[in-house]
Amino acid sequence: MKLLAIETSCDETAVALLEGNEQGDTTSFSVLGNTLISQIDIHREYGGVFPAMAKRAHAQNLVPILASTLEEANEMHEEKQVLDESITKELETLLSREPGLSESFLAFITETRRPQIDAVCVTYGPGLEPALWVGINFAKAISLVWNIPLVAVDHMEGHHMSSLLTPSSERSYTLTKPNTPHITLLVSGGHTELILMKAWREYEKIGETRDDAVGEAFDKVARMMGLPYPGGPEVARLAHKDREDARTNPFTLPRPMIDSPDLDFSFSGLKTAVLYKIKEKETLTDVETEQMARSFEDSAIGVLVKKTEKALNQFGAQSLSVGGGVSANEHLQRTLAEIQDVSVSFPPRELTGDNAVMIGVAGFYKALEGNFATPESIVATGTLSLS
Ligand code: KG4
Ligand code: ZN
């Protein structure tokens, strides 16, 4: 099955074309084309994602990204197409909210032959609704002109699926369905949650953050220390340096909710504790910045690991996977890999952050089940939640 996947939930515009072949419990996925434009440079100035600008950038990026993805997959064939007037009208209405999008889409589509694609998968939540709508309307437009069925994908299921992928050869991955019960820790800029997969694709949320997401806490702490956006990788780099130097750390930070009886998290108190410590000092020296980064990372990751172990024990799970942008954190990876008697998997490095490949993989399994969506039924759902 060949799938076109579209992701616009936050600050990356991504389109991928992949082919999935299922054999028993293992599926092989080949990435035929994949293009991603990150808007980090646009949002850096604001220290975070600015929804109106994200939406505009998605609208400008989608047609060129689709073209380059098809080109890479050898599915781009120039050929004049005559569209029914009614279809042209429908497309114009569908894409009217994004200035310039219907013009550029029509210019592209009337010069391009329909590629061999079996489904169009698109993220419909969670995320920034204005940003999600751009991708959704674009997917509906493609589905309409090329008559390809739509699959609506949950972004968090995408992160979960990417955590189960193993690289097999260049641009190919395999996914073997894990034994259940399986636990997934999803950690990103907007989410921190523990998901129980009771059976294949049967999810139950068993824990989540009550305030900030862990990636958000990394970003905010980085900002307090004057580090560039997104701060997660930068804080991790400085923390690593301090750990290597094995200095005594003068900063003791709290580990909120570490002993609470539930599987929930809280990171806003930790963030505030960092703020107070910085205020006390007025300015941090370079060494103190590294020490603070390390102390923060130790606390944040310490809580994630403790709650994850608790979830594994509570549900008798033998397998664990970790997805989302923060799954790239090496300290988290190293610490979780030490858990005994549990197999732990992380996404391939290039698929830790937002991407369209993971949306295609999640869409593949929905399509296999015949779980297609009508265009009218796909609505951007900012607060969409697995289970
Ligand atoms: O999944 P993602 O790319 O986007 C969202 O859906 O939010 O996650 C982005 C988050 C950001 O907060 C970023 O700072 C964090 O992941 N992040 C990290 C690391 N790499 C990315 N946090 C800690 N350590 C890292 N190495
Ligand atoms: Zn994400």
Side-chain angles (χ1 to χ4, degrees), residues 7 9-10 155-156 159 188-191 324-325 352-355 358:
E7 156 65 40
S9 67
C10 190
H155 180 84
M156 300 314 286
H159 277 305
S188 69
H191 292 83
T352 52
D354 290 347
N355 65 86
M358 68 184 196

Side-chain angles (χ1 to χ4, degrees), residues 12 155 159 188-190 215-216 218-219 230-233 236 324-326 328-329 352-354:
E12 333 268 17
H155 180 84
H159 277 305
S188 69
E216 186 182 357
F218 265 91
D219 295 340
V326 184
N329 185 280
T352 52
D354 290 347

